[in-house]
Amino acid sequence: MQAISLFSGAGGMDIGFKRAEFDTVWANDFDSIACETFEANDLGKIECGDFKLLLPQLKRFQGIDLIFGGPPCQGFSVAGKMDPNDERSSLINSFISAVDIVRPQAFVMENVKALATLSRWEELRKDIIKRLVRLDYSVDLLVLNATEFGVPQKRERMFLIGFLNKSASLTLNSTILKQRNKAITVREALSHLGPAGSPTNPRICTAVITLAAKPIMRKSPYAGMIFNGAGRPIDIDGYALTLPASMGGNKTPIIDEKVLQDPKAHNWIEEYHSYLKGGGTPYDWKSTPEHLRRMTVDEALALQTFPRDFILTGKKSAWYRMIGNAVPCNLAYSVATAVRECLVSSRVIYKQDQAA
């Protein structure tokens, strides 16, 4: 099956759809470094530039099997300003325009969970769905947790999925559920990389870690803010929180190297959290143990389930941004596999109906 990839970034979503045997025949992104990375990984030819200006090119793909992509979500994310007038938010309209021009057999639009669940976006959400239904698509709105689809990261995302053939959507939910695959832990995902700075895990983050003078406490030591900056510690034997595109500085998640390398090691983060919860006075901001450090580039790739040999172009700041912006490859693969199965089954039913 052939597909068009929109807002492709470095290609996280594309890797998943390629594994599900979709052939991307046209792709687009505005970020030149992301486009270089996309092509460096043999994901296909990508048009770099303003998608609104490139829309007319899509007319030649009318009737293609699929359009997929994740329009920029900063205007809707609870991690951003939640500004509906953010120019990037209008790119959802461009995605809908592409669907209108091409009329693919199916589409998959990915975005943040907030767009699917928050009351402040209810009218916008209804409007988006109404516009797609007017184009004769049967539309489903799903919120999926990446940990249920082979990704060691608590990343919940919205998927708006539509089919021209109404029968294709009848089994979508059950087909998605069949793709569920519980993720391995962070330890299992990262242990093969070796210590930060080693030959197999060389691309480190040098941002200093300091303790908060006025910690913001939560029940879990892996929430709240016991360190300065937005980079929270990671539960090595659990799942990471959503990796942000703002990684690279003090927003980069924190890892306890000792705990990662030795499951029996004392967990300093949990011990310090318990000490603070018990009324202890915060330590001096410079008292961070040396075995606490920031997540490396290769570890971020692993938690986003990129292939081990994935190539990154540009500078380190761009690497973290591209990784954080991506849809986890395993999650994309699960969605792509379900969509493909629905498309195939609906075609079989259509042929049977014709024969009858």
Side-chain angles (χ1 to χ4, degrees):
M1 293 186 182
Q2 293 187 323
I4 290 171
S5 170
L6 305 179
F7 317 105
S8 309
M13 202 167 181
D14 294 76
I15 289 170
F17 277 75
K18 184 176 181 179
R19 282 174 52 200
E21 300 183 358
F22 281 97
D23 177 25
T24 298
V25 296
W26 195 91
N28 166 257
D29 199 86
F30 188 77
D31 186 329
S32 60
I33 301 300
C35 291
E36 287 178 13
T37 298
F38 187 97
E39 292 192 342
N41 289 281
D42 296 322
L43 294 172
K45 179 67 177 175
I46 187 166
E47 293 277 353
C48 192
D50 187 340
F51 177 55
K52 294 176 183 177
L53 301 179
L54 297 172
L55 264 171
Q57 291 191 26
L58 299 184
K59 290 181 180 178
R60 68 182 189 274
F61 298 112
Q62 288 181 342
I64 201 169
D65 296 293
L66 179 71
I67 288 179
F68 68 88
C73 60
Q74 291 88 343
F76 309 113
S77 174
V78 293
K81 295 181 179 180
M82 301 193 75
D83 179 8
N85 297 314
D86 188 314
E87 186 177 350
R88 294 166 294 190
S89 302
S90 68
L91 290 172
I92 283 181
N93 296 326
S94 298
F95 186 99
I96 296 172
S97 295
V99 171
D100 189 18
I101 291 170
V102 177
R103 296 192 62 73
Q105 297 305 304
F107 66 81
V108 177
M109 185 176 77
E110 178 270 351
N111 217 280
V112 292
K113 176 186 175 182
L115 182 57
T117 59
L118 291 190
S119 58
R120 71 180 299 166
W121 302 131
E122 183 176 2
E123 291 305 314
L124 174 61
R125 188 163 57 241
K126 288 180 179 178
D127 180 64
I128 291 170
I129 294 173
K130 283 180 181 177
R131 290 167 64 190
L132 291 165
V133 168
R134 287 194 202 106
L135 296 177
D136 296 325
Y137 285 90
S138 177
V139 181
D140 285 277
L141 178 63
L142 307 176
V143 175
L144 304 179
N145 190 329
T147 60
E148 296 180 357
F149 298 92
V151 182
Q153 188 184 161
K154 298 175 184 178
R155 193 182 191 106
E156 292 184 285
R157 307 296 285 188
M158 178 199 89
F159 288 88
L160 201 61
I161 301 173
F163 296 95
L164 267 183
N165 188 330
K166 304 298 189 290
S167 64
S169 68
L170 297 177
T171 58
L172 176 64
N173 282 282
S174 60
T175 308
I176 286 279
L177 292 178
K178 285 196 303 181
Q179 305 305 317
R180 286 190 298 186
N181 173 31
K182 187 177 179 181
I184 59 176
T185 64
V186 170
R187 182 185 301 282
E188 293 171 302
L190 303 186
S191 58
H192 69 282
L193 290 172
S198 65
T200 53
N201 192 9
R203 296 180 283 188
I204 64 172
C205 175
T206 58
V208 176
I209 302 172
T210 56
L211 298 174
K214 296 181 179 179
I216 298 174
M217 302 300 295
R218 295 291 184 269
K219 183 177 180 180
S220 168
Y222 304 104
M225 293 182 69
I226 60 176
F227 299 95
N228 290 316
R232 289 179 172 80
I234 284 184
D235 182 1
I236 301 298
D237 290 305
Y239 300 128
L241 299 177
T242 298
L243 301 188
S246 54
M247 292 184 294
N250 69 3
K251 294 183 180 180
T252 310
I254 297 167
I255 287 179
D256 188 324
E257 185 75 79
K258 277 188 178 180
V259 174
L260 178 59
Q261 301 306 324
D262 179 7
K264 297 180 180 180
H266 288 294
N267 191 313
W268 187 91
I269 291 169
E270 292 185 359
E271 290 178 354
Y272 182 55
H273 178 265
S274 295
Y275 163 76
L276 293 173
K277 289 282 283 184
T281 302
Y283 293 168
D284 181 79
W285 67 280
K286 295 180 181 179
S287 301
T288 310
E290 291 184 359
H291 52 85
L292 298 189
R293 45 84 172 176
R294 302 285 182 180
M295 178 184 289
T296 69
V297 171
D298 295 282
E299 289 166 343
L301 283 169
L303 294 185
Q304 283 280 61
T305 61
F306 276 92
R308 181 76 184 273
D309 59 354
F310 189 76
I311 299 168
L312 291 164
T313 65
K315 297 180 180 180
K316 188 183 293 185
S317 58
W319 298 347
Y320 277 113
R321 183 182 72 249
M322 289 188 288
I323 296 168
N325 272 331
V327 176
C329 305
N330 284 1
L331 177 57
Y333 170 70
S334 298
V335 172
T337 301
V339 169
R340 181 183 178 85
E341 187 174 322
C342 289
L343 282 171
V344 170
S345 63
S346 68
R347 290 175 184 178
V348 170
I349 292 170
Y350 177 69
K351 289 180 181 178
Q352 290 173 342
D353 288 345
Q354 281 188 316

